[in-house]
Amino acid sequence: MAIRRICITGEPVLHQRAQEVTEFNEELRILVRDMFETMDKAPGVGLAAPQIGVGLRVFVYDYPDDDDNPRRGVIINPILTVGPIVDEPADEDTEIEGCLSVPGERFPLKRADNVEISGVDLEQNPVSISAEGWFARVFQHEFDHLDGILYVDRLAEPWNEIAKDIIADNGWGKPGISWLPGKDKLEG
């Protein structure tokens, strides 16, 4: 297993739709193991393959429930059905989100409170999960990565403009910038 570098916004793989997984082989198993190790070291609650430079429709997640029961897994070639999104501004205290590809920054973003997600695991067994609250947010966030969308792309004003300024001030928004969890210290 290996910790992989996490791409920062501006890397082309982050801004294009990832390809369906067609080969379930040892290379995919290694990718998923590395994704878990990278997510854990970062630390994060989810990590999509494009975030480590791999344009495949795969993400891992680790988000325990309110009783600290583990909810950890991988979803390959997911399909996401999103519940309604309330048409009101995101709460700046309770609906704040961050991303390992925009490290150190957090902004409010309105998301659906419930989702249904399905796909397959590494053995191509069906996976189907109903999620609410923050667990639903994790799935929406990671699924967006597979479609080439970062959460900062969805921000309402004034947060959208503030995020763009921070990205520019950090010298991000161009190819070739990444960080290695556990090794690089990023300020933001």
Side-chain angles (χ1 to χ4, degrees):
M1 294 195 317
I3 296 171
R4 301 216 194 169
R5 296 192 72 80
I6 297 176
C7 301
I8 291 179
T9 184
E11 191 64 41
V13 71
L14 291 173
H15 305 285
Q16 59 196 23
R17 187 181 190 282
Q19 298 297 308
E20 302 288 328
V21 173
T22 58
E23 295 186 36
F24 290 76
N25 53 23
E26 187 60 23
E27 186 177 323
L28 180 63
R29 290 185 180 288
I30 292 168
L31 171 67
V32 169
R33 281 194 303 260
D34 290 355
M35 289 173 67
F36 275 116
E37 187 170 347
T38 303
M39 175 185 66
D40 292 343
K41 189 71 173 179
V45 296
L47 184 71
Q51 291 183 274
I52 59 168
V54 178
L56 291 174
R57 296 187 74 76
V58 178
F59 72 79
V60 297
Y61 62 91
D62 186 2
Y63 191 77
D65 68 16
D66 292 336
D67 296 322
D68 222 19
N69 296 312
R71 293 186 291 196
R72 182 176 173 93
V74 59
I75 302 181
I76 301 167
N77 297 334
I79 298 169
L80 182 71
T81 304
V82 179
I85 300 173
V86 178
D87 187 20
E88 61 186 41
D91 185 291
E92 294 179 35
D93 294 320
T94 62
E95 295 179 299
I96 199 140
E97 201 165 307
C99 180
L100 298 174
S101 292
V102 187
E105 303 302 329
R106 297 178 59 80
F107 297 101
L109 178 62
K110 185 60 82 178
R111 296 267 193 193
D113 193 48
N114 58 72
V115 300
E116 301 280 334
I117 193 160
S118 60
V120 297
D121 64 15
L122 277 170
E123 287 74 37
Q124 300 184 59
N125 295 318
V127 174
S128 183
I129 301 171
S130 296
E132 295 181 352
W134 274 94
F135 198 34
R137 181 177 291 270
V138 170
F139 287 142
Q140 290 168 84
H141 182 108
E142 299 311 325
F143 187 86
D144 273 355
H145 276 299
L146 304 183
D147 282 344
I149 300 167
L150 299 183
Y151 89 108
V152 292
D153 300 330
R154 293 192 179 277
L155 297 176
E157 292 301 342
W159 308 111
N160 181 280
E161 195 61 37
I162 293 168
K164 285 179 184 175
D165 289 345
I166 289 170
I167 289 167
D169 290 348
N170 280 307
W172 302 339
K174 58 188 175 194
I177 303 172
S178 64
W179 67 283
L180 186 63
K183 298 289 183 187
D184 297 340
K185 175 141 176 75
L186 291 170
E187 311 266 332

